[in-house]
Amino acid sequence: QGQLVESGGGSVQAGGSLRLSCAHSGYRFSTYCFGWFRQAPGKEREGVGGLNANGETHFPDSVKGRFSISEDNTKNILYLQMNKLTPEDTAMYYCAARRCYTAEYQYWGQGTQVTVSS
């Protein structure tokens, strides 16, 4: 079983940007699909972006146009670039992986906290 380790979280003012990283081992980009999720206190976990094996990304309307996902295949790192952050983006952010033929994400990182102040 592989490992997913997020980093890059922190505190930023509204309108600012952060780039989260997810260093992974044991998950080939060609076999596994990846996703970014977040969970704020008292709220359900929600997906904020995904990367398919063919390189396609997808985002919910809440972050579309502000968030982007990229990958570095040479370093096995997945990135979540977050721009124009608002206090509503404050949450714990998680990286997750799943075999692309399944719908459920089976593997999760420990999370990294993002706090956006107004």
Side-chain angles (χ1 to χ4, degrees):
Q1 185 168 335
Q3 190 176 21
L4 299 157
V5 180
E6 302 94 334
S7 62
S11 297
V12 64
Q13 289 191 329
S17 299
L18 278 175
R19 188 178 75 163
L20 305 184
S21 299
C22 174
H24 64 88
S25 60
Y27 304 104
R28 290 185 178 181
F29 280 119
S30 60
T31 304
Y32 287 84
C33 292
F34 295 85
W36 285 96
F37 296 80
R38 68 186 180 188
Q39 187 166 22
K43 294 186 178 181
E44 293 187 355
R45 185 175 63 200
E46 63 171 338
V48 294
L51 174 69
N52 294 335
N54 60 7
E56 291 182 344
T57 57
H58 51 90
F59 304 91
D61 289 342
S62 58
V63 306
K64 194 173 293 183
R66 300 189 299 121
F67 289 13
S68 62
I69 292 174
S70 60
E71 57 183 336
D72 185 332
N73 289 331
T74 62
K75 298 180 180 179
N76 287 337
I77 298 177
L78 182 74
Y79 298 102
L80 178 68
Q81 178 68 44
M82 306 185 295
N83 300 324
K84 299 179 181 179
L85 288 164
T86 73
E88 288 69 36
D89 295 314
T90 295
M92 184 71 79
Y93 283 72
Y94 299 91
C95 171
R98 60 177 174 90
R99 290 188 179 272
C100 291
Y101 59 76
T102 66
E104 183 180 355
Y105 285 88
Q106 302 113 325
Y107 311 104
W108 294 82
Q110 83 291 347
T112 186
Q113 178 68 37
V114 171
T115 302
V116 184
S117 58
S118 59

